[in-house]
């Protein structure tokens, strides 16, 4: 098999050699001898030729392998658990109770009595008083008043257009613009005068009047009052006592039971996978080699 592969590569290489470009053939010409600067040493005359060689190369391939992986799986298992149950029990305990007893007490009571007291009273009396009153009077007063009069006055007024003023010695005419002239107008003037008017005013006077008034007096009268006295009474009172009773209670008790539970486990599984690998192959490559040319010597230089 290897011999057939090599033969096939040789045939392909020979076919490739027949298709060498003209440019590559030009590179295979004879090279001239290069002399050194001193002229004593020189390289042997030769040509560049192509040589087919086999080079080793690595090629990537894919191979099948088995790989161990872990797969999740759910299984049932029984695990212990604690369950709380209520158990009935009887418990004695002291509870408060109330008992009614008779108890003597001294109680303060209010007792009515009559007593004479002085109470204030008011009596109506009349007394003279002087009272200030306002009396109207009429009074003449001077008040200012403004009166309008007209007086003549001179004002400045503009004259529109041009006005001919004559000629100079050379014949040039003179005109003027924006002339003003005096104008008499009647200007309003306000004059302050005084006139007499009557004005009503109020003056203060005193007048004697009789005013009703109340005077405080004292009078005797009987009034009911209350005095405090002590009186013995029997009252019922609740007294707290303690009594023993049985009470039903429920006590929590822990009991062990078994319950089913799902658990996740890892199970090994073989899986076929493709993995990369490298394979050695031989590949023909053309290389350029230097082939020296040997000349035959016939006895002359």
């Amino acid at each position: 098999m290897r011999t057939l592969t090599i033969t096939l590569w040789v045939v392909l290489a020979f076919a490739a050699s027949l298709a060498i470009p003209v440019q590559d053939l030009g590179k295979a010409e004879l090279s001239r001898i290069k002399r050194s600067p001193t002229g004593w040493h020189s390289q042997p005359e030769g040509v560049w030729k192509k040589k087919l060689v086999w080079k080793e190369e690595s090629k990537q391939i894919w191979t099948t392998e088995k790989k161990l992986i872990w797969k999740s799986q759910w299984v049932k298992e029984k695990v212990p658990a604690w369950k709380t149950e209520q158990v009935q029990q009887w418990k004695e305990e002291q509870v408060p109770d109330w008992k009614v007893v008779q108890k003597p007490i001294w109680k303060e009571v209010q007792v009515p009595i009559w007593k004479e007291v002085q109470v204030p009273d008011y009596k109506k009396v009349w007394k003279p008083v002087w009272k200030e009153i306002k009396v109207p009077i009429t009074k003449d007063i001077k008040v200012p008043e403004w009166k309008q009069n007209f007086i003549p006055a001179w004002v400045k007024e503009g004259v529109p257009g041009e006005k001919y003023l004559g000629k100079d010695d050379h014949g040039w005419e003179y005109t003027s613009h924006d002339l003003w002239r005096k104008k008499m107008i009647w200007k309003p003037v306000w004059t302050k005068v005084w006139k007499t008017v009557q004005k009503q005013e109020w003056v203060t006077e005193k007048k004697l009047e009789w005013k009703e008034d109340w005077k405080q007096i004292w009078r005797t009268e009987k009034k009911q009052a209350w005095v405090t006295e002590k009186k013995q009474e029997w009252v019922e009172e609740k007294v707290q006592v303690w009594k023993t009773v049985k009470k039903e209670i429920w006590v929590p008790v822990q009991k062990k039971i078994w319950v089913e539970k799902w658990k996740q486990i890892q199970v090994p599984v073989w899986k076929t996978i493709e993995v990369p690998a490298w394979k050695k192959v031989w590949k023909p490559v053309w290389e350029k080699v230097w082939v020296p040319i040997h000349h035959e010597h016939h006895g002359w230089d």
Side-chain angles (χ1 to χ4, degrees):
M1 183 66 180
R2 180 174 178 77
T3 304
L4 180 59
T5 305
I6 294 173
T7 304
L8 181 58
W9 278 107
V10 171
V11 173
L12 294 174
F14 178 72
S17 65
L18 294 178
I20 296 176
V22 179
Q23 186 179 359
D24 294 338
L25 292 176
K27 292 181 180 179
E29 292 179 0
L30 295 175
S31 63
R32 296 297 180 179
I33 298 175
K34 295 182 181 179
R35 296 182 183 272
S36 63
T38 58
W40 293 100
H41 300 284
S42 63
Q43 294 181 355
E45 188 178 359
V47 294
W48 289 96
K49 289 187 178 182
K50 285 189 175 182
K51 183 182 178 181
L52 183 64
V53 295
W54 292 91
K55 284 191 175 181
E56 182 180 345
E57 188 177 285
S58 296
K59 181 181 179 183
Q60 185 179 3
I61 61 173
W62 293 89
T63 60
T64 302
E65 290 185 2
K66 286 188 176 181
K67 182 181 179 182
L68 181 64
I69 62 173
W70 294 90
K71 183 180 179 181
S72 298
Q73 186 176 350
W74 292 88
V75 295
K76 278 186 178 181
E77 64 174 359
K78 288 190 175 183
V79 294
W82 292 97
K83 182 181 179 182
T84 303
E85 293 183 352
Q86 299 292 331
V87 180
Q88 182 184 9
Q89 291 184 1
W90 292 95
K91 180 182 177 181
E92 290 186 354
E93 62 179 18
Q94 298 291 319
V95 295
D97 195 8
W98 296 95
K99 180 181 179 181
V100 178
V101 295
Q102 296 290 329
K103 180 181 178 181
I105 61 169
W106 288 97
K107 184 179 180 181
E108 292 183 352
V109 295
Q110 299 292 323
V111 180
I113 60 172
W114 293 96
K115 68 177 182 177
E116 291 185 352
V117 294
Q118 296 290 322
V119 294
D121 197 3
Y122 289 93
K123 180 180 179 182
K124 184 187 291 188
V125 294
W126 295 90
K127 65 178 182 178
V129 292
W130 289 98
K131 182 179 179 182
E132 290 185 352
I133 60 174
K134 296 291 185 179
V135 180
I137 61 172
T138 302
K139 184 178 180 182
D140 292 338
I141 60 173
K142 298 286 186 176
V143 294
E145 184 180 14
W146 292 94
K147 183 178 181 182
Q148 187 178 12
N149 296 319
F150 291 91
I151 61 174
W154 290 100
V155 296
K156 199 175 182 181
E157 182 182 32
V159 179
E162 295 182 351
K163 184 178 181 183
Y164 177 72
L165 298 178
K167 294 182 181 181
D168 60 1
D169 297 337
H170 301 284
W172 294 95
E173 294 182 354
Y174 288 93
T175 58
S176 62
H177 298 271
D178 299 330
L179 298 178
W180 297 89
R181 66 182 176 184
K182 284 186 176 181
K183 181 181 180 181
M184 188 177 70
I185 62 171
W186 289 94
K187 182 178 179 180
V189 177
W190 291 92
T191 306
K192 185 177 182 181
V193 296
W194 295 89
K195 68 175 181 178
T196 303
V197 295
Q198 288 186 344
K199 181 181 179 183
Q200 187 179 14
E201 292 183 355
W202 296 86
V203 294
T204 302
E205 294 183 359
K206 286 191 176 183
K207 180 182 179 182
L208 182 63
E209 293 183 355
W210 291 92
K211 182 179 179 181
E212 181 181 303
D213 195 7
W214 292 92
K215 182 179 179 182
Q216 183 180 0
I217 60 175
W218 296 91
R219 57 185 177 84
T220 305
E221 65 178 23
K222 288 185 178 181
K223 182 180 180 181
Q224 187 181 20
W226 296 87
V227 294
T228 303
E229 294 183 0
K230 288 188 176 181
K231 180 181 179 182
Q232 186 179 21
E233 293 183 358
W234 292 87
V235 295
E236 292 183 350
E237 183 179 353
K238 287 186 177 181
V239 181
Q240 183 179 0
V241 295
W242 295 90
K243 64 178 182 178
T244 303
V245 295
K246 286 186 177 183
K247 184 179 179 182
E248 183 182 10
I249 61 173
W250 295 87
V251 181
V253 177
Q254 297 284 337
K255 182 179 180 182
K256 187 176 181 180
I257 59 174
W258 292 89
V259 295
E260 288 186 348
K261 185 179 179 182
W262 286 95
K263 180 180 180 183
Q264 186 178 13
I265 61 174
Q266 301 293 325
V267 181
V269 178
W270 289 99
K271 182 180 180 183
T272 302
I273 60 173
E274 296 287 334
V275 294
W278 296 95
K279 179 182 179 182
K280 288 184 179 181
V281 295
W282 294 88
K283 181 179 179 183
V285 179
W286 288 99
E287 290 185 352
K288 291 174 68 177
V289 295
W290 179 259
V291 180
I293 300 175
H294 299 282
H295 297 280
E296 294 182 2
H297 295 277
H298 298 285
W300 63 84
D301 292 331

